[in-house]
Amino acid sequence: MDLLEYQGKQFFASYGIPVSAGEATGTVDEAVAIADRVGYPVVVKAQVHTGGRGKAGGVKLAENADECRTHAANILGLDIKGHIVNTIWIENASDIAEEYYASFTLDRSAKQHLGMLSAEGGVEIESVAESNPEAIAKIHIDPVVGLTPDACRAWVEAANLNPAATEGAVDILTKLYTAYVEGDADLVEINPLILKPTGEVHALDAKVSLDGNATFEHPDYEQYDATQPRDEREEAAHAKGLQYVGLDGSVGVIANGAGLAMSTVDVVNQVGGSPANFLDIGGGANADVMAGALEVINNDTAVKSIFINIFGGITRGEEVANGIIEAMKRVSISSPIVIRLDGTNANEGRAILEPHLNEQLMMESTMLDAARRAVALAATGDAN
Ligand code: GDP
Ligand code: MN
């Protein structure tokens, strides 16, 4: 569950991390009223589930009510990387002496938590990691031991922040680690973490991703459901009981079993295509399940070809073949389909499909050939 900046700041504040006073709204008039309350100058900030808002014109400083009104009106409705701004956050503006970066996340391969701190904040950390990796101080934290005061201080010193920021940074990072662990977060990030000319350290931005599997321990996390970004395709698929994840390519993918579905997504990428989705129809490839899967994929206007990749196990090839033929009678499909059918009774299944093959329904004997054909068809579809 990804939080919006203002939700992340409220989450931080509940652990004692200093953030600016502010309020969220969806209207221009309210924005001005909030600005009057928090005091000028204010920053008007777009609340969307993506970074780089500053560069996209979604973060603006306002000295007075007129400027606040103009910025609020411009930012509401703005499209930032495909996210339309419905909510803005108005906060009292801070004076900035320096901008830092701080985060905690899980390092799965190290089986430890990873803290990252850099004196080069404000910019995207990926570009710092690329151009100047030694500017990022890293700390691995054993989850059983936690972040000890000594380790935290040594880490802050290694990051070469302004010495005036040391105490404030140690304090905030200690609280940030507690928020990360107790709040069951997958990621907490402050970019920029600022040093003010007056010497205080302060969180100016918040990126928080909470573990959706831990919500039962945090009843208050229910409030975040309403602001989660929705993928209509995923909602339709989940309503049909399908394991579906929306992606942004043009080859629709249907496979049986999560492992095969992931391999199918990989092989589409491997041959130069881009999958439109991950879809695991599970063990039973009967007509109902297949029709549901085809319907979801057919409704995705980005799909230009469909790759059905089935490996018969307990489900026999002829059941799969009959399921596909029956499903195609029920759903009128707009993209060409390429089938790869293997496993138990594959020959019997292929024999059933054979008489139905045409420009709309094709079959290949290997996964790689089927992927190549589906990708080639998607490319022709894109050109049209
Ligand atoms: P992002 O672009 O989505 O990461 O949004 P941020 O919240 O990080 O804001 C982008 C940039 O706007 C920051 O790096 C700051 O340079 C600037 N900014 C944000 N809030 C303030 C503020 O209160 N005062 C000043 N002077 N600049 C701010
Ligand atoms: Mn930021």
Side-chain angles (χ1 to χ4, degrees), residues 5 20 43 45 50-55 59 61 91-96 99 122 191-192 204-205:
E5 176 200 3
S20 310
V43 192
K45 308 184 77 174
T50 182
R53 295 165 302 159
K55 270 188 211 156
V59 178
L61 203 73
E91 72 175 26
N92 182 248
S94 305
D95 285 333
I96 303 175
E99 300 194 31
N191 188 23
L204 211 61
D205 192 4

Side-chain angles (χ1 to χ4, degrees), residues 85-102:
V85 181
N86 297 314
T87 304
I88 47 178
W89 167 255
I90 317 296
E91 72 175 26
N92 182 248
S94 305
D95 285 333
I96 303 175
E98 296 190 8
E99 300 194 31
Y100 308 135
Y101 171 94

Side-chain angles (χ1 to χ4, degrees), residues 189-353:
E189 183 186 88
I190 305 177
N191 188 23
L193 175 72
I194 59 160
L195 171 65
K196 297 187 184 182
T198 44
E200 293 112 343
V201 181
H202 187 94
L204 211 61
D205 192 4
K207 185 170 173 185
V208 175
S209 185
L210 300 171
D211 180 353
N213 294 312
T215 49
F216 71 97
E217 297 208 81
H218 307 275
D220 55 314
Y221 287 0
E222 235 174 67
Q223 60 179 309
Y224 304 131
D225 279 350
T227 48
Q228 287 310 296
R230 300 267 177 242
D231 184 322
E232 283 176 22
R233 301 173 300 171
E234 288 185 0
E235 292 189 339
H238 296 165
K240 292 181 195 293
L242 298 166
Q243 299 297 322
Y244 176 101
V245 180
L247 303 169
D248 51 17
S250 57
V251 179
V253 167
I254 299 176
N256 65 331
L260 186 61
M262 279 191 267
S263 309
T264 310
V265 163
D266 282 348
V267 79
V268 166
N269 274 311
Q270 186 194 326
V271 300
S274 58
N277 65 279
F278 162 99
L279 200 170
D280 167 20
I281 56 170
N286 64 32
D288 286 345
V289 176
M290 191 57 82
L294 282 172
E295 210 175 295
V296 167
I297 289 189
N298 198 47
N299 284 341
D300 183 347
T301 51
V303 167
K304 300 292 183 244
S305 71
I306 301 170
F307 178 9
I308 301 180
N309 190 8
I310 303 290
F311 194 92
I314 295 167
T315 318
R316 285 168 290 121
E318 58 266 42
E319 290 175 62
V320 175
N322 285 325
I324 293 171
I325 290 161
E326 180 57 33
M328 288 189 64
K329 286 184 198 154
R330 295 194 210 163
V331 189
S332 124
I333 313 287
S334 31
S335 309
I337 300 176
V338 183
I339 300 173
R340 174 261 187 167
L341 176 60
D342 215 327
T344 310
N345 290 8
N347 286 337
E348 287 81 347
R350 289 177 190 163
I352 291 171
L353 288 167

